[in-house]
Amino acid sequence: MHRFKNILFSPLARRDNPAAVRRVADLAGRNEAQITLFGVLSAPSPLHRLHQRPAVEQAVQQAERRELANKLERWDPSGDGVEAEKVLQVGNPGLAIIQRVLQSGHDLVVVTSDEDREDQATIKRLLRKCPCPVWVIRPTRARIQRVLAAVNPDSAEASLNHTILELAASMAEQYGGELHVGHAWELYGEGTIRSSALMNIPPEDVEQMLHDERAERQRKLEDLLASGVVADAPWQRHLQKGPPAGVVTGLVAKHRINLLVMGTVARTGLKGALMGNTAEKVLDEVHCSVIALKPPGFVSPIQVPTR
C-alpha cells in the first residue's frame, strides 16, 4: 500500500463533509501519519488597505479568523481518533499551501471542494505547482469506491505510471472498491492520412495501421499491469480510441468513477512545467474526486519566503 506520513489537510469547501474527514482520518490512522489542519485567511488587497480604516480592517480579520477557527474545529479529525495540528495563516490559499508543503515536507495535500467548485482556481494552482500529490475530495453519495487509474504506458513515463497504479490499487484496497485502468490511444496523423491526396494510402492500409497501433498499445498496457506491485490487482481494463481527455471523462461517467488517479504535468518534470491540456480539460469536466501526481524530478516554481 502506498503510504503517506505527513498529510496537509486544507478544507476549501464551504459546506461540511464528514465523509471527507473520515477518509483523511482513516488514511492517517492506517499510515500512522501526522496531520496538519491548515486554514488560510485571505489578505486584504492594497486597494482595500488604501480605502479601509485600519480599525475596520483589523475587526474584519479578527472576525474572519474566528470563523475560520470554528470551521477547522468542524473539520478536525480528532473525533475519529487522529490528532491534528491546527495552523491558520494569512495569504493566498494556493500559494500558502504550496509554501507550507515546501517548508514542512508534507507528502500529501488533501483539499475539499464543493459541487459549485468556486475554489477551482486554487485547486488548479495546486495541481500545477504543488510538488507532492494532491487529493481533491468532492461530495459523493456513492457507497462503492470506484477508482480509475489513467495511464499512458510509454516507457518514458514508467515511473509515473507505476505510482499512479500503486496509489489507485491501494485506495481501492483500503475502501474495498472497484479498480479500473484506462488508456486512450490514437493513430498519429490519422485525419491527414485519410484525407490528404498527396499521401494516397489505401483505406485497407489505414485500417491495418489502426489495428497494429491498437495491438501495440494493448501490449504495452498489459506489460505495465504485469510489472511491479500491482500485478495481481483485479483491474478492469479500458483501452479506447480517442483524445485522452474525452476518453477519461467518458470512462468516469460510464463507470460511475468517484476517484480518478492521474498525472498532471509533462513527463519532463521541468521546473515550472504547466499542467497539460489533457489534465486541464479532465479537471474541468469531471465531478469525482481526483488524486493528481507529478512525474519524478518535478520541481515546484514556488519559492519559500525568507524570514
Side-chain angles (χ1 to χ4, degrees):
M1 176 180 289
H2 196 97
R3 297 192 178 277
F4 299 104
K5 292 296 185 181
N6 190 7
I7 300 171
L8 181 70
F9 181 27
S10 186
L12 301 178
R14 297 189 308 274
R15 301 178 184 87
D16 292 348
N17 188 342
V21 178
R22 289 193 297 271
R23 284 282 169 88
V24 175
D26 187 43
L27 180 66
R30 290 171 181 265
N31 289 274
E32 298 181 351
Q34 61 185 31
I35 298 179
T36 299
L37 192 55
F38 192 69
V40 183
L41 291 166
S42 297
S45 68
L47 185 62
H48 284 141
R49 283 183 168 151
L50 181 64
H51 295 287
Q52 190 69 272
R53 294 195 303 272
V56 174
E57 178 185 321
Q58 184 177 14
V60 169
Q61 286 201 357
Q62 288 176 346
E64 290 182 348
R65 182 175 289 271
R66 287 194 296 270
E67 290 179 6
L68 182 57
N70 291 335
K71 176 181 178 179
L72 293 188
E73 284 295 330
R74 298 196 304 273
W75 289 89
D76 191 345
S78 300
D80 292 283
V82 178
E83 294 299 321
E85 175 190 10
K86 297 185 184 67
V87 176
L88 275 69
Q89 188 169 315
V90 177
N92 175 278
L95 179 62
I97 289 171
I98 296 171
Q99 289 177 335
R100 174 77 188 193
V101 168
L102 294 170
Q103 289 171 326
S104 302
H106 294 286
D107 53 14
L108 175 67
V109 168
V110 183
V111 297
T112 59
S113 176
D114 289 319
E115 291 179 349
D116 54 24
R117 299 191 288 185
E118 290 185 359
D119 44 34
Q120 193 80 332
T122 296
I123 290 173
K124 284 188 177 180
R125 188 173 197 173
L126 293 176
L127 299 185
R128 291 183 185 119
K129 299 180 179 180
C130 184
C132 69
V134 178
W135 183 8
V136 183
I137 300 181
R138 290 170 173 156
T140 179
R141 296 179 179 85
R143 296 186 178 184
I144 298 175
Q145 180 84 326
R146 298 181 177 89
V147 184
L148 171 64
V151 299
N152 177 24
D154 188 301
S155 58
E157 298 186 13
S159 182
L160 177 59
N161 283 324
H162 280 109
T163 304
I164 290 172
L165 292 173
E166 181 189 0
L167 187 51
S170 67
M171 296 299 286
E173 177 188 3
Q174 182 169 329
Y175 299 111
E178 296 178 3
L179 261 178
H180 299 255
V181 59
H183 171 51
W185 68 275
E186 296 178 282
L187 177 64
Y188 175 73
E190 180 183 353
T192 302
I193 292 171
R194 289 186 182 277
S195 62
S196 175
L198 295 175
M199 300 192 70
N200 195 28
I201 298 177
E204 59 270 20
D205 288 355
V206 178
E207 293 305 317
Q208 185 61 49
M209 293 165 67
L210 287 167
H211 178 273
D212 293 344
E213 181 71 21
R214 188 188 189 286
E216 177 64 11
R217 297 299 187 99
Q218 180 76 50
R219 183 189 65 79
K220 287 185 175 181
L221 182 60
E222 293 301 329
D223 288 347
L224 175 62
L225 293 177
S227 62
V229 297
V230 298
D232 296 328
W235 298 102
Q236 296 185 39
R237 295 157 169 79
H238 308 287
L239 181 67
Q240 292 194 7
K241 182 176 180 291
V247 168
V248 172
T249 55
L251 289 174
V252 168
K254 180 178 180 179
H255 299 281
R256 295 181 294 169
I257 299 298
N258 41 45
L259 176 60
L260 170 64
V261 185
M262 64 183 298
T264 58
V265 300
R267 61 175 177 260
T268 57
L270 294 175
K271 182 176 180 179
L274 295 177
M275 182 163 58
N277 288 335
T278 296
E280 189 94 28
K281 291 177 182 177
V282 168
L283 291 164
D284 285 339
E285 293 295 328
V286 301
H287 294 272
C288 64
S289 297
V290 176
I291 296 180
L293 305 169
K294 307 295 191 305
F298 175 82
V299 179
S300 174
I302 300 298
Q303 299 295 315
V304 177
T306 56
R307 297 180 182 273

